[in-house]
Amino acid sequence: MEMKMQTAVAYGQSKEVGIYALASVVNALAADGVKEPKVQVRIMIPSYAYKSRIHTMEKIMKKACEGRGIELQGITSERNNVITQSMVVMTGCGVCTEANEYKAEANDIVLTKWIGMEGMLRILEEKEAELKTRFSTSFLKQISSYKSQIFAQKEIEIAHKNDVKYISQVGEGGVFAGLWNLAKEMGRGFEVDLKKIPVLQETVEVCEFFRLNPYQLTSAGTMLMIAEDGERLVEMLAEQGIEAVFVGKLTDNNDKVLKNGEELRYLDRPAPDEIMKVFEVSGF
């Protein structure tokens, strides 16, 4: 057994911003084989914000942890003269019971759920008034309905039970950063079909509204898995109601290839997460 630790930071004006840091840490720990995570939370708000914001954010974090059986070891909170928006730093740890080790004979790349989903949800919470000028109330409610999907313990557990030995979260920088980091860690290249990468229509429309690239948008809850039989893994996840797609394969060279029909392109180094542009528009 081995102790694992993960840290994530989330920021924004939403009082629920800490939920995304929690999901990121818990998912990463689950991928590491941790089944009983423990977390500590640090909340910071701008000095000019009402103190009641801290109490609300603390209440939301406690409820989220209780609802998911996550041990909350402590919360510290403060008002900070430097920051201009709320920030939550989440640190989690736990004992690894499932080894997350790559097996050389596994080459199939499987992607779960949808890219950019986390970013879409966070943009809604930060920019709801602007989105209402373009989209209907029912459309925005549909976006909100995906919030529980940012937690990925169920699909990670299924993968571990079926001998999938390498799992990583897409997270910050979007799927392009996730694939780049995957190749770097594996010491191999890949060939991925861009058209197979799953993205919600709601995400596409929100990204078009703010002129963002969904492939470079933060994606907590979306997991990359390396399997010996990608199609079979997709079937097993589907049987449990988990969306997943077999998107490509690892290769024995260092080329990071994205196929788009007959067109081939090589993946560049990861760019800053697209969600930063949303905050920049607000003058943060």
Side-chain angles (χ1 to χ4, degrees), residues 176-191:
F176 283 171
L179 287 168
W180 178 278
N181 294 331
L182 174 67
K184 183 178 179 181
E185 189 164 350
M186 296 292 95
R188 300 178 66 183
F190 60 75
E191 187 172 292

Side-chain angles (χ1 to χ4, degrees), residues 31 42 79 135 140 200 203 232 240:
R42 183 183 180 190
R79 296 165 89 176
F135 302 108
L140 300 182
L200 295 166
T203 302
R232 177 57 184 150
Q240 299 300 317

Side-chain angles (χ1 to χ4, degrees), residues 26-266:
V26 170
N27 293 341
L29 287 172
D32 283 338
V34 174
K35 293 185 177 179
E36 297 181 357
K38 302 175 183 179
V39 299
Q40 293 186 348
V41 185
R42 183 183 180 190
I43 298 172
M44 291 174 279
I45 64 171
S47 58
Y48 54 77
Y50 290 114
K51 195 172 183 180
S52 60
R53 172 174 285 268
I54 284 179
H55 298 312
T56 301
M57 293 177 73
E58 288 179 345
K59 185 177 179 180
I60 289 170
M61 295 311 306
K62 289 176 182 177
K63 183 178 179 180
C65 289
E66 288 173 2
R68 295 191 170 273
I70 300 165
E71 183 179 336
L72 178 57
Q73 293 188 312
I75 301 180
T76 59
S77 305
E78 65 181 77
R79 296 165 89 176
N80 190 297
N81 293 325
V82 177
I83 63 175
T84 58
Q85 54 190 307
S86 300
M87 181 178 295
V88 175
V89 181
M90 183 76 55
T91 303
C93 65
V95 176
C96 169
T97 57
E98 298 280 355
N100 188 22
E101 298 175 352
Y102 170 63
K103 297 199 305 183
E105 59 270 28
N107 296 305
D108 292 358
I109 303 173
V110 171
L111 188 70
T112 67
K113 293 179 178 171
W114 312 274
I115 64 164
M117 177 179 60
E118 177 206 355
M120 172 188 68
L121 288 161
R122 290 176 64 180
I123 291 169
L124 172 61
E125 293 179 6
E126 300 294 329
K127 300 291 183 180
E128 184 173 5
E130 291 180 46
L131 289 169
K132 282 182 176 179
T133 67
R134 170 76 173 272
F135 302 108
S136 67
T137 300
S138 60
F139 179 86
L140 300 182
K141 284 184 177 179
Q142 178 62 27
I143 291 176
S144 296
S145 71
Y146 290 105
K147 192 161 187 177
S148 64
Q149 298 287 344
I150 63 173
F151 290 90
Q153 295 101 309
K154 181 179 179 180
E155 51 264 44
I156 293 170
E157 183 177 0
I158 292 169
H160 279 311
K161 285 181 177 178
N162 288 279
D163 206 30
V164 174
K165 293 300 185 183
Y166 187 86
I167 307 169
S168 65
Q169 185 167 227
V170 172
E172 186 175 345
V175 69
F176 283 171
L179 287 168
W180 178 278
N181 294 331
L182 174 67
K184 183 178 179 181
E185 189 164 350
M186 296 292 95
R188 300 178 66 183
F190 60 75
E191 187 172 292
V192 166
D193 189 336
L194 198 61
K195 291 185 176 181
K196 288 185 178 180
I197 293 178
V199 55
L200 295 166
Q201 183 60 33
E202 293 88 346
T203 302
V204 171
E205 296 194 34
V206 168
C207 284
E208 287 180 350
F209 184 74
F210 286 103
R211 298 182 181 178
L212 308 178
N213 183 344
Y215 297 93
Q216 294 172 204
L217 186 61
T218 185
S219 302
T222 303
M223 311 303 294
L224 283 165
M225 302 178 178
I226 306 300
E228 291 184 60
D229 187 342
E231 296 289 0
R232 177 57 184 150
L233 176 59
V234 168
E235 290 174 4
M236 288 186 290
L237 290 168
E239 288 170 1
Q240 299 300 317
I242 305 295
E243 295 284 341
V245 180
F246 173 27
V247 296
K249 285 181 173 289
L250 293 175
T251 58
D252 292 328
N253 53 50
N254 291 320
D255 294 339
K256 303 169 184 64
V257 179
L258 296 173
K259 294 172 55 182
N260 188 4
E262 297 299 317
E263 179 186 353
L264 298 180
R265 58 167 285 196
Y266 293 89

